[in-house]
Structures are given as structure tokens and as C-alpha cells.
Amino acid sequence: TATMRALAGNDELEVTFGKGTPSLRGNNVEVPLPRVGCTEQELNAVRGVADEFALKLRYHDDTVHRSRTPKAGPAQELFQWVEDARVASIGTMQMEGVAQNLDASLESLCRQAAFDRIVEETEAPLSVAVGLIVRQRLTGRELPPSAENVVRFWRDYVEERAGAEIEMLRESIYDQVSFADQARSIMMDLGLVSEIEEPQESDD
């Protein structure tokens, strides 16, 4: 709880632990309750979930995200994975302990999604692969095995069509608006134009 409050920059953050789905609602966060006798890797994965929530509270603006998120389909999923990569990368670059926790959490997430058992390109989601490639480029860290098993089917395709755009994301990692606009350009490079609508500007 103390670590989450420090990462989020919010001393009023309310943290609970439970066996349900991790959730973030306003100032209230529920994170997984580690099982008795869990391994260090499993514990790090739980810490990673907590770190992700805290970093999201500090560096992610829901209004900006909603205004630029594609309405449906692979483009929407891609946009979410790329934004998650941005937030995770900020924490990864700041603290090695957080980086290890986030890696463990990502590996756990990919295993739950059965990405470690993918054997054909048709089973590997392009949207997820792009988000993982962005994460790897921004952090300079190798992907966990289950995540790499998704990326290996799409790396050449993505690098050929959007490699330069992905590299440019480094320049706007702390600017969510610019980063989001750049992410939309990446979608266009990958042929997802029909799923992208013009961003809706808020009064702010």
C-alpha cells in the first residue's frame, strides 16, 4: 500500500486485497491477494499489477485516452496495449525493482491468455504484438518468453511497416496526447485506417 501510494503520488489512495479481478475505480484499488506459499515470481507478478495501477493513476489521463481510442476491433485493442506499454515503460525506466515486477506481471498475463501455447500466426493477435514491440522498444528490455511467443510471428511485418514510427514514440513518452496521435499513425501504417475515427476534443 505504501509503495502504491508513493508511485501514484497519492497519499489518500485506498488499497484492498482480494481474490477477484483486479480493479481501479477512482481512488480505490483492489489488487490480487498472494496465495500462501507462492513463489517469488508469483509474488513479483502481484506487485507488478499493483505497480501498473499506481503508474496509471499518475501518468494516464482517461479523458485523453477516451477521446482518441478507436471505437472497436483490433485498432481499439492495439491502442490499449500501446498506451499500457507507455505507462509501464515510464515505471520501468525509473526503477529496476518496478521493471522486474512489471515483467513478471506481463508474463503472468500472457500465460493466462495462453500466448505461450501459440504455434501459428493466425493465433497471434497483431494488436497485442504491436503493443509488446512498443514496450520492448521503449524499455530496451527483452520480453518475457510468453510475450515473445506472440511477437515472433509479427516482428518483421511490424518493423517493416511501422518501425520508424515506433522509434519516434520515445520522444513523447511523457506526453500522452502526442503519444496517442503517434499511435494512431502506427495504426494507419498497419492498414487499420477504416477503424480509426477523428479524435474528439474535450472542452479542456
Side-chain angles (χ1 to χ4, degrees):
T1 299
T3 301
M4 288 187 70
R5 287 174 175 168
L7 283 177
N10 182 354
D11 292 336
E12 304 300 320
L13 187 63
E14 293 293 331
V15 182
T16 57
F17 300 84
K19 295 183 178 180
T21 303
S23 62
L24 169 61
R25 294 184 181 87
N27 215 36
N28 299 289
V29 180
E30 180 172 325
V31 295
L33 181 68
R35 68 177 181 84
V36 176
C38 68
T39 65
E40 186 67 19
Q41 180 73 3
E42 289 172 330
L43 187 56
N44 284 345
V46 171
R47 291 172 176 147
V49 172
D51 290 348
E52 287 176 57
F53 279 139
L55 291 165
K56 191 170 184 177
L57 282 167
R58 187 164 191 168
Y59 297 107
H60 173 82
D61 185 318
D62 271 338
T63 301
V64 170
H65 187 70
R66 285 195 303 270
S67 71
R68 284 164 170 76
T69 300
K71 300 308 177 187
Q76 184 183 68
E77 185 177 35
L78 185 155
F79 193 78
Q80 184 63 58
W81 274 85
V82 169
E83 171 59 10
D84 289 345
R86 182 187 73 85
V87 174
S89 298
I90 292 174
T92 295
M93 293 187 295
Q94 290 179 348
M95 289 158 282
E96 177 59 27
V98 170
Q100 293 176 10
N101 294 342
L102 294 176
D103 284 349
S105 177
L106 178 61
E107 173 69 0
S108 176
L109 175 65
C110 290
R111 282 184 172 274
Q112 289 174 19
F115 291 160
D116 56 322
R117 297 197 291 273
I118 291 176
V119 295
E120 297 181 5
E121 180 181 304
T122 54
E123 300 174 327
L126 172 61
S127 52
V128 175
V130 174
L132 293 171
I133 290 171
V134 168
R135 182 165 174 156
Q136 186 175 33
R137 282 284 200 94
L138 293 177
T139 64
R141 297 175 70 89
E142 292 299 314
L143 292 170
S146 296
E148 180 60 36
N149 194 46
V150 179
V151 169
R152 67 189 178 98
F153 293 99
W154 291 106
R155 190 182 299 280
D156 291 344
Y157 176 88
V158 173
E159 293 285 357
E160 179 183 341
R161 289 163 175 76
E165 293 272 16
I166 291 174
E167 189 63 30
M168 289 173 62
L169 289 173
R170 292 174 177 274
E171 302 172 7
S172 55
I173 190 170
Y174 286 99
D175 184 341
Q176 187 179 342
V177 173
S178 296
F179 193 94
D181 290 343
Q182 194 72 32
R184 292 168 68 88
S185 294
I186 291 171
M187 293 180 210
M188 295 177 70
D189 292 339
L190 297 174
L192 299 176
V193 181
S194 61
E195 299 180 36
I196 303 176
E197 299 177 3
E198 287 300 312
Q200 299 173 2
E201 298 297 337
S202 67
D203 292 340
D204 292 342

